[in-house]
Coordinates of all heavy atoms in Angstrom, one line a residue:
I1 N 98.4 106.8 70.0 CA 98.0 108.1 70.6 C 98.4 109.2 69.7 O 99.6 109.2 69.3 CB 98.6 108.2 72.0 CG1 98.1 107.1 72.9 CG2 98.3 109.6 72.6 CD1 98.7 107.1 74.3
S2 N 97.5 110.2 69.5 CA 97.8 111.4 68.7 C 97.7 112.6 69.6 O 96.8 112.7 70.4 CB 96.9 111.5 67.5 OG 97.0 110.4 66.7
V3 N 98.6 113.5 69.4 CA 98.6 114.8 70.1 C 98.7 115.9 69.0 O 99.6 115.9 68.2 CB 99.8 114.9 71.1 CG1 99.7 116.3 71.7 CG2 99.7 113.8 72.1
Y4 N 97.7 116.8 69.0 CA 97.7 117.8 67.9 C 96.9 119.0 68.4 O 96.3 119.0 69.5 CB 97.0 117.3 66.6 CG 95.6 116.8 66.8 CD1 94.5 117.7 66.6 CD2 95.3 115.5 67.3 CE1 93.2 117.3 66.8 CE2 94.0 115.1 67.4 CZ 93.0 116.0 67.2 OH 91.7 115.6 67.4
P5 N 97.0 120.2 67.8 CA 97.9 120.5 66.6 C 99.3 120.8 67.2 O 99.5 121.1 68.3 CB 97.2 121.8 66.1 CG 96.6 122.5 67.2 CD 96.1 121.3 68.1
N6 N 100.2 120.8 66.3 CA 101.6 121.1 66.6 C 102.3 121.8 65.5 O 102.5 121.1 64.4 CB 102.4 119.8 67.0 CG 103.7 120.1 67.7 OD1 103.9 121.2 68.2 ND2 104.5 119.1 67.8
P7 N 102.5 123.1 65.6 CA 102.4 123.9 66.8 C 101.0 124.2 67.2 O 100.1 124.1 66.3 CB 103.1 125.2 66.4 CG 103.1 125.2 64.9 CD 103.0 123.8 64.4
F8 N 100.8 124.5 68.4 CA 99.4 124.8 69.0 C 99.4 126.3 69.4 O 100.4 126.9 69.5 CB 99.1 123.9 70.1 CG 99.9 124.1 71.4 CD1 99.5 124.9 72.4 CD2 101.1 123.5 71.5 CE1 100.2 125.1 73.5 CE2 101.9 123.7 72.7 CZ 101.4 124.5 73.7
S9 N 98.2 126.8 69.6 CA 98.1 128.2 70.1 C 97.3 128.3 71.4 O 97.8 128.8 72.4 CB 97.5 129.1 69.0 OG 96.2 128.6 68.6
N10 N 96.1 127.7 71.5 CA 95.3 127.8 72.7 C 94.9 126.4 73.3 O 94.5 126.4 74.5 CB 94.0 128.6 72.4 CG 94.3 130.0 72.1 OD1 95.2 130.6 72.6 ND2 93.6 130.5 71.1
E11 N 95.0 125.4 72.5 CA 94.5 124.1 73.0 C 95.3 122.9 72.5 O 95.8 123.0 71.3 CB 93.1 123.9 72.6 CG 92.4 122.7 73.1 CD 90.9 122.6 72.6 OE1 90.6 123.0 71.5 OE2 90.1 122.2 73.4
I12 N 95.6 121.9 73.3 CA 96.2 120.7 72.9 C 95.2 119.6 73.0 O 94.5 119.5 74.0 CB 97.4 120.4 73.8 CG1 98.4 121.5 73.9 CG2 98.1 119.1 73.4 CD1 99.4 121.5 75.0
I13 N 95.1 118.8 72.0 CA 94.1 117.7 71.9 C 94.9 116.3 71.9 O 95.8 116.1 71.1 CB 93.2 117.8 70.7 CG1 92.4 119.1 70.8 CG2 92.2 116.6 70.7 CD1 91.7 119.5 69.6
I14 N 94.4 115.4 72.8 CA 95.0 114.1 72.9 C 93.9 113.1 72.5 O 92.8 113.1 73.1 CB 95.5 113.8 74.3 CG1 96.5 114.8 74.7 CG2 96.1 112.4 74.4 CD1 96.7 114.8 76.2
T15 N 94.1 112.3 71.5 CA 93.2 111.3 71.1 C 93.8 109.9 70.9 O 95.0 109.8 70.7 CB 92.5 111.6 69.7 OG1 93.5 111.7 68.7 CG2 91.7 113.0 69.8
S16 N 93.0 108.9 70.9 CA 93.5 107.5 70.6 C 92.4 106.8 69.9 O 91.2 107.0 70.2 CB 93.8 106.8 72.0 OG 94.2 105.5 71.7
K17 N 92.8 105.9 69.0 CA 91.8 105.0 68.3 C 91.1 104.1 69.3 O 90.0 103.7 69.1 CB 92.5 104.2 67.2 CG 93.0 105.1 66.1 CD 93.6 104.2 65.0 CE 94.2 105.1 63.9 NZ 94.9 104.3 62.9
N18 N 91.8 103.7 70.3 CA 91.3 102.8 71.3 C 91.3 103.4 72.7 O 92.3 103.9 73.2 CB 92.2 101.5 71.4 CG 91.7 100.5 72.4 OD1 90.7 100.7 73.1 ND2 92.4 99.3 72.4
S19 N 90.1 103.6 73.2 CA 89.9 104.2 74.5 C 90.8 103.7 75.6 O 91.3 104.4 76.5 CB 88.4 104.2 74.9 OG 88.2 104.8 76.2
A20 N 91.0 102.4 75.6 CA 91.8 101.7 76.7 C 93.2 102.1 76.6 O 93.9 102.0 77.6 CB 91.7 100.2 76.5
D21 N 93.7 102.6 75.5 CA 95.1 103.1 75.4 C 95.4 104.3 76.2 O 96.5 104.6 76.6 CB 95.5 103.4 73.9 CG 95.6 102.1 73.1 OD1 95.7 101.0 73.7 OD2 95.6 102.2 71.8
V22 N 94.4 105.2 76.4 CA 94.6 106.4 77.1 C 93.8 106.6 78.4 O 94.3 107.3 79.3 CB 94.4 107.7 76.2 CG1 95.4 107.7 75.1 CG2 93.0 107.7 75.6
T23 N 92.6 106.1 78.5 CA 91.8 106.3 79.6 C 92.4 105.8 80.9 O 92.9 104.6 80.9 CB 90.4 105.6 79.4 OG1 89.8 106.1 78.2 CG2 89.5 105.9 80.6
G24 N 92.5 106.6 81.9 CA 93.1 106.3 83.2 C 94.6 106.5 83.2 O 95.2 106.4 84.3
Q25 N 95.2 106.9 82.1 CA 96.6 107.2 82.1 C 96.8 108.7 82.6 O 95.9 109.5 82.6 CB 97.2 107.0 80.8 CG 97.2 105.6 80.3 CD 98.3 105.2 79.4 OE1 99.4 105.8 79.4 NE2 98.0 104.3 78.5
L26 N 98.1 108.9 83.1 CA 98.4 110.2 83.6 C 99.1 111.1 82.6 O 100.0 110.6 81.9 CB 99.3 110.1 84.8 CG 99.7 111.4 85.6 CD1 98.5 112.1 86.1 CD2 100.7 111.0 86.7
M27 N 98.6 112.3 82.3 CA 99.2 113.2 81.4 C 99.9 114.3 82.2 O 99.3 114.9 83.1 CB 98.0 113.8 80.5 CG 98.4 114.9 79.6 SD 98.7 116.5 80.2 CE 97.3 116.9 81.2
K28 N 101.1 114.6 81.8 CA 101.9 115.7 82.5 C 102.5 116.6 81.4 O 103.0 116.1 80.4 CB 103.0 115.1 83.3 CG 102.6 114.2 84.4 CD 103.8 113.6 85.2 CE 103.4 112.8 86.3 NZ 104.6 112.2 87.0
L29 N 102.4 117.9 81.6 CA 102.9 118.9 80.7 C 104.1 119.6 81.4 O 103.9 120.1 82.5 CB 101.8 119.9 80.3 CG 102.2 120.9 79.3 CD1 102.5 120.3 77.9 CD2 101.1 122.0 79.1
Y30 N 105.2 119.6 80.7 CA 106.4 120.2 81.3 C 106.9 121.3 80.4 O 106.7 121.3 79.2 CB 107.6 119.2 81.3 CG 107.3 118.0 82.2 CD1 106.7 116.9 81.8 CD2 107.7 118.1 83.6 CE1 106.5 115.8 82.6 CE2 107.5 117.0 84.4 CZ 106.9 115.8 83.9 OH 106.7 114.7 84.7
D31 N 107.6 122.3 81.0 CA 108.2 123.4 80.1 C 109.6 122.9 79.7 O 110.0 121.7 80.1 CB 108.2 124.7 80.8 CG 109.2 124.8 82.0 OD1 110.0 123.9 82.3 OD2 109.1 125.8 82.8
V32 N 110.3 123.7 79.0 CA 111.6 123.2 78.5 C 112.7 123.0 79.6 O 113.6 122.3 79.4 CB 112.1 124.2 77.4 CG1 112.6 125.5 78.0 CG2 113.2 123.6 76.5
T33 N 112.5 123.6 80.7 CA 113.4 123.4 81.9 C 113.1 122.1 82.7 O 113.8 121.8 83.6 CB 113.4 124.6 82.8 OG1 112.2 124.7 83.5 CG2 113.7 125.9 82.1
G34 N 112.0 121.5 82.3 CA 111.6 120.3 83.1 C 110.6 120.5 84.2 O 110.3 119.6 85.0
K35 N 110.2 121.8 84.3 CA 109.2 122.1 85.4 C 107.8 121.6 85.0 O 107.3 121.8 83.9 CB 109.2 123.7 85.6 CG 108.2 124.1 86.6 CD 108.1 125.6 86.7 CE 107.0 126.1 87.6 NZ 106.9 127.5 87.6
L36 N 107.2 120.9 86.0 CA 105.9 120.4 85.7 C 104.9 121.5 85.8 O 104.8 122.2 86.8 CB 105.5 119.3 86.8 CG 104.1 118.7 86.7 CD1 103.9 117.9 85.4 CD2 103.9 117.8 87.9
L37 N 104.1 121.7 84.7 CA 103.1 122.8 84.7 C 101.7 122.3 85.0 O 101.0 123.0 85.7 CB 103.1 123.4 83.3 CG 104.4 123.9 82.8 CD1 104.3 124.4 81.3 CD2 104.9 125.1 83.7
T38 N 101.3 121.1 84.6 CA 100.0 120.6 84.9 C 100.0 119.1 84.8 O 100.9 118.5 84.0 CB 98.9 121.2 84.0 OG1 97.7 120.7 84.5 CG2 99.1 120.8 82.6
S39 N 99.2 118.4 85.5 CA 99.0 117.0 85.3 C 97.5 116.6 85.6 O 96.9 117.3 86.4 CB 99.9 116.2 86.3 OG 99.5 116.4 87.6
Q40 N 97.1 115.6 84.9 CA 95.7 115.2 85.1 C 95.5 113.8 84.5 O 96.3 113.3 83.7 CB 94.7 116.1 84.3 CG 94.8 116.1 82.8 CD 93.9 117.1 82.2 OE1 94.0 118.3 82.5 NE2 93.0 116.7 81.2
I41 N 94.5 113.1 85.1 CA 94.2 111.8 84.6 C 93.3 111.9 83.3 O 92.4 112.7 83.3 CB 93.4 111.0 85.7 CG1 94.2 110.9 87.0 CG2 92.9 109.6 85.1 CD1 95.3 109.9 86.9
I42 N 93.7 111.2 82.3 CA 92.9 111.2 81.1 C 91.6 110.3 81.3 O 91.7 109.2 81.7 CB 93.7 110.6 79.9 CG1 95.0 111.5 79.7 CG2 92.9 110.6 78.6 CD1 96.0 111.0 78.7
K43 N 90.5 111.0 81.0 CA 89.2 110.3 81.4 C 88.4 109.8 80.2 O 87.4 109.2 80.3 CB 88.3 111.3 82.2 CG 89.0 111.6 83.5 CD 88.2 112.5 84.4 CE 88.9 112.8 85.7 NZ 88.2 113.9 86.4
S44 N 88.9 110.2 78.9 CA 88.1 109.7 77.8 C 89.1 109.5 76.6 O 90.2 109.9 76.6 CB 87.0 110.7 77.4 OG 87.6 112.0 77.0
Q45 N 88.5 109.0 75.5 CA 89.3 108.8 74.3 C 89.8 110.0 73.6 O 90.8 110.0 72.9 CB 88.4 108.0 73.3 CG 89.1 107.4 72.2 CD 88.2 106.4 71.4 OE1 87.1 106.1 71.8 NE2 88.6 106.0 70.2
K46 N 89.1 111.2 73.9 CA 89.6 112.5 73.4 C 89.6 113.5 74.6 O 88.6 113.7 75.2 CB 88.6 113.0 72.3 CG 89.1 114.3 71.7 CD 88.1 114.7 70.5 CE 88.6 116.0 69.9 NZ 87.7 116.4 68.9
T47 N 90.8 114.0 74.8 CA 91.0 114.9 75.9 C 91.6 116.2 75.4 O 92.4 116.1 74.5 CB 91.9 114.3 77.0 OG1 91.3 113.1 77.4 CG2 92.1 115.2 78.2
S48 N 91.3 117.3 76.0 CA 91.9 118.6 75.5 C 92.5 119.3 76.8 O 92.0 119.2 77.9 CB 91.0 119.5 74.8 OG 89.9 119.9 75.6
I49 N 93.6 120.0 76.5 CA 94.2 120.8 77.5 C 94.2 122.3 77.1 O 94.6 122.6 76.0 CB 95.7 120.4 77.7 CG1 95.9 118.9 78.0 CG2 96.4 121.3 78.8 CD1 97.3 118.4 77.8
L50 N 93.6 123.1 77.9 CA 93.5 124.6 77.6 C 94.9 125.2 77.9 O 95.4 125.0 79.0 CB 92.4 125.2 78.4 CG 92.0 126.6 77.9 CD1 91.5 126.5 76.4 CD2 90.8 127.1 78.7
A51 N 95.5 125.8 76.9 CA 96.9 126.3 77.1 C 97.0 127.8 76.8 O 98.1 128.2 76.4 CB 97.8 125.5 76.1
T52 N 96.0 128.5 77.0 CA 96.0 130.0 76.7 C 97.0 130.7 77.6 O 97.5 131.7 77.2 CB 94.6 130.6 76.9 OG1 94.1 130.3 78.2 CG2 93.6 130.0 75.9
S53 N 97.3 130.2 78.8 CA 98.2 131.0 79.7 C 99.6 130.7 79.5 O 100.5 131.3 80.0 CB 97.8 130.7 81.2 OG 98.0 129.3 81.4
L54 N 99.9 129.7 78.6 CA 101.3 129.4 78.3 C 102.0 130.4 77.4 O 101.3 130.9 76.5 CB 101.4 128.0 77.7 CG 100.9 126.8 78.5 CD1 101.1 125.5 77.7 CD2 101.7 126.7 79.8
L55 N 103.3 130.6 77.6 CA 104.0 131.5 76.7 C 104.5 130.8 75.5 O 104.5 129.5 75.5 CB 105.3 132.0 77.5 CG 105.0 132.9 78.7 CD1 106.3 133.2 79.4 CD2 104.2 134.2 78.4
A56 N 104.8 131.5 74.4 CA 105.3 130.8 73.2 C 106.6 130.1 73.6 O 107.4 130.6 74.3 CB 105.5 131.9 72.1
G57 N 106.8 128.9 73.0 CA 108.0 128.2 73.2 C 107.8 126.7 73.1 O 106.7 126.2 72.7
M58 N 108.7 125.9 73.6 CA 108.7 124.4 73.5 C 108.2 123.8 74.8 O 108.6 124.3 75.9 CB 110.1 123.9 73.2 CG 110.0 122.4 72.9 SD 111.6 121.7 72.2 CE 112.9 122.5 73.0
Y59 N 107.4 122.8 74.7 CA 106.9 122.1 75.9 C 106.9 120.6 75.6 O 107.0 120.1 74.5 CB 105.4 122.5 76.1 CG 105.3 123.9 76.5 CD1 105.2 124.9 75.6 CD2 105.3 124.3 77.9 CE1 105.1 126.2 75.9 CE2 105.3 125.6 78.2 CZ 105.1 126.6 77.2 OH 105.1 127.9 77.6
F60 N 106.9 119.8 76.7 CA 106.9 118.3 76.6 C 105.6 117.8 77.3 O 105.4 118.1 78.4 CB 108.1 117.7 77.2 CG 109.4 118.2 76.5 CD1 110.1 119.2 76.9 CD2 109.8 117.5 75.4 CE1 111.3 119.6 76.3 CE2 111.0 117.9 74.7 CZ 111.7 119.0 75.2
L61 N 104.9 116.9 76.5 CA 103.7 116.3 77.1 C 104.1 114.8 77.3 O 104.5 114.1 76.3 CB 102.6 116.4 76.1 CG 101.3 115.7 76.6 CD1 100.6 116.5 77.7 CD2 100.3 115.6 75.4
K62 N 104.0 114.3 78.5 CA 104.3 113.0 78.8 C 103.0 112.2 79.2 O 102.2 112.7 80.1 CB 105.3 112.9 80.0 CG 105.8 111.5 80.3 CD 106.8 111.6 81.4 CE 107.4 110.2 81.7 NZ 108.4 110.3 82.8
I63 N 102.8 111.1 78.6 CA 101.6 110.3 79.0 C 102.2 109.0 79.5 O 102.9 108.2 78.9 CB 100.7 110.0 77.7 CG1 100.2 111.3 77.2 CG2 99.6 109.1 78.1 CD1 99.5 111.2 75.9
E64 N 101.8 108.7 80.8 CA 102.3 107.5 81.4 C 101.2 106.7 82.1 O 100.2 107.3 82.5 CB 103.4 107.8 82.4 CG 103.0 108.9 83.5 CD 104.2 109.3 84.3 OE1 105.4 109.3 83.8 OE2 104.0 109.7 85.4
G65 N 101.3 105.4 82.2 CA 100.3 104.6 82.8 C 100.8 103.1 82.7 O 101.9 102.8 83.1
T66 N 99.9 102.3 82.2 CA 100.2 100.9 82.2 C 101.3 100.5 81.1 O 102.0 99.6 81.2 CB 99.0 100.0 81.9 OG1 98.3 100.5 80.7 CG2 98.0 100.2 83.1
Q67 N 101.3 101.3 80.0 CA 102.3 101.1 78.9 C 103.5 101.9 79.2 O 103.6 102.6 80.1 CB 101.6 101.5 77.6 CG 100.3 100.7 77.3 CD 99.7 101.2 76.0 OE1 100.2 102.1 75.4 NE2 98.6 100.6 75.6
K68 N 104.5 101.7 78.2 CA 105.7 102.5 78.3 C 105.3 104.0 78.1 O 104.5 104.3 77.3 CB 106.6 102.1 77.1 CG 107.9 102.8 77.0 CD 108.7 102.3 75.9 CE 110.0 103.2 75.7 NZ 110.7 102.9 74.5
P69 N 105.9 104.9 78.9 CA 105.6 106.3 78.8 C 105.9 106.8 77.4 O 106.8 106.4 76.8 CB 106.5 107.0 79.9 CG 106.8 105.9 80.8 CD 106.8 104.6 80.0
Q70 N 105.0 107.8 77.0 CA 105.2 108.4 75.7 C 105.4 109.9 75.9 O 104.7 110.5 76.7 CB 104.0 108.2 74.8 CG 103.8 106.7 74.3 CD 102.7 106.6 73.3 OE1 101.6 106.5 73.7 NE2 103.0 106.6 72.1
V71 N 106.4 110.5 75.2 CA 106.7 111.9 75.3 C 106.5 112.5 74.0 O 107.1 112.0 73.0 CB 108.1 112.1 75.9 CG1 108.4 113.6 76.0 CG2 108.3 111.4 77.2
F72 N 105.8 113.7 73.9 CA 105.6 114.4 72.7 C 106.2 115.8 72.9 O 106.0 116.5 73.9 CB 104.1 114.5 72.4 CG 103.4 113.2 72.3 CD1 102.9 112.5 73.4 CD2 103.3 112.7 71.0 CE1 102.2 111.3 73.2 CE2 102.6 111.5 70.8 CZ 102.1 110.8 71.9
K73 N 107.0 116.3 71.9 CA 107.5 117.6 71.9 C 106.5 118.5 71.2 O 106.1 118.2 70.1 CB 108.9 117.6 71.2 CG 109.5 119.0 71.2 CD 111.0 119.0 70.7 CE 111.0 119.1 69.3 NZ 112.4 119.3 68.7
L74 N 106.1 119.6 71.9 CA 105.1 120.5 71.3 C 105.6 121.9 71.3 O 106.4 122.3 72.2 CB 103.8 120.5 72.2 CG 103.1 119.1 72.3 CD1 102.1 119.2 73.4 CD2 102.5 118.7 71.0
I75 N 105.2 122.7 70.3 CA 105.6 124.1 70.2 C 104.3 124.9 70.3 O 103.4 124.8 69.6 CB 106.2 124.3 68.8 CG1 107.4 123.4 68.6 CG2 106.6 125.8 68.7 CD1 108.6 123.6 69.5
K76 N 104.4 125.9 71.3 CA 103.3 126.9 71.4 C 103.8 128.1 70.5 O 104.8 128.6 70.7 CB 103.2 127.3 72.8 CG 102.4 128.6 73.0 CD 101.0 128.4 73.5 CE 100.2 129.7 73.6 NZ 99.2 129.8 74.5
Q77 N 102.9 128.4 69.6 CA 103.2 129.5 68.7 C 102.7 130.8 69.3 O 101.7 130.9 70.0 CB 102.7 129.3 67.3 CG 101.2 129.1 67.2 CD 100.7 128.7 65.8 OE1 101.5 128.4 65.0 NE2 99.4 128.7 65.6
H78 N 103.3 131.9 68.9 CA 103.0 133.2 69.4 C 101.7 133.6 68.7 O 101.5 133.5 67.6 CB 104.0 134.2 69.1 CG 103.7 135.6 69.5 ND1 103.7 136.0 70.8 CD2 103.4 136.7 68.7 CE1 103.3 137.3 70.8 NE2 103.2 137.8 69.6
Q79 N 100.7 134.2 69.5 CA 99.5 134.7 69.0 C 99.6 136.1 68.6 O 99.7 137.0 69.5 CB 98.4 134.5 70.1 CG 97.8 133.2 70.3 CD 97.1 132.7 69.1 OE1 97.6 132.0 68.2 NE2 95.8 133.1 68.9
G80 N 99.6 136.4 67.3 CA 99.7 137.7 66.8 C 98.4 138.4 66.9 O 97.3 137.8 66.9
L81 N 98.4 139.7 67.0 CA 97.2 140.5 67.0 C 96.6 140.6 65.6 O 97.3 140.7 64.6 CB 97.4 141.9 67.5 CG 97.9 142.0 68.9 CD1 98.2 143.4 69.3 CD2 96.9 141.4 69.9
L82 N 95.3 140.5 65.5 CA 94.6 140.5 64.1 C 94.2 141.9 63.8 O 93.9 142.7 64.6 CB 93.4 139.6 64.1 CG 93.7 138.1 64.3 CD1 92.4 137.3 64.4 CD2 94.6 137.6 63.2

C-alpha cells in the first residue's frame, strides 16, 4: 500500500498494486492528538482524500481490515499565497 504525496497540501492518495489489499478496508485519518477526523471504506485500488480543510501539521492515516493495520505518518504543508 502506498500513501502519497508526503508532505501533502490538498489531497492524499492511497494506492495498491493489488486491489484486494485495500478494497473493503477501513481508512481512518487522525490528528496529532488522536482525534478521528474522517473514516471511510476504501472502494477501489486508488482512493483519494480531499484535505483542503485541514490545518498544516502532522496527521496519521490508519488502514485496517483483514490484514494487520497499517499506520502512515503524514505532514500537511502550509499553502503559501502565490
Side-chain angles (χ1 to χ4, degrees):
I1 296 175
S2 298
V3 178
Y4 62 91
N6 193 16
F8 67 95
S9 54
N10 294 321
E11 184 179 37
I12 303 165
I13 299 169
I14 303 163
T15 61
S16 177
K17 291 180 182 177
N18 184 354
S19 179
D21 288 345
V22 291
T23 303
Q25 294 207 31
L26 184 61
M27 176 281 311
K28 296 179 179 179
L29 185 65
Y30 298 90
D31 68 11
V32 73
T33 67
K35 179 182 175 186
L36 179 63
L37 303 174
T38 186
S39 66
Q40 68 186 53
I41 301 286
I42 299 172
K43 297 179 180 171
S44 66
Q45 194 170 348
K46 183 176 181 182
T47 301
S48 63
I49 304 164
L50 197 57
T52 53
S53 64
L54 297 178
L55 298 174
M58 185 167 43
Y59 295 88
F60 295 96
L61 179 71
K62 184 176 185 181
I63 299 174
E64 53 189 28
T66 56
Q67 301 176 358
K68 181 181 175 187
Q70 292 185 277
V71 178
F72 299 88
K73 182 171 88 170
L74 301 169
I75 305 292
K76 164 108 184 206
Q77 61 188 10
H78 178 71
Q79 282 293 98
L81 297 175
L82 297 177

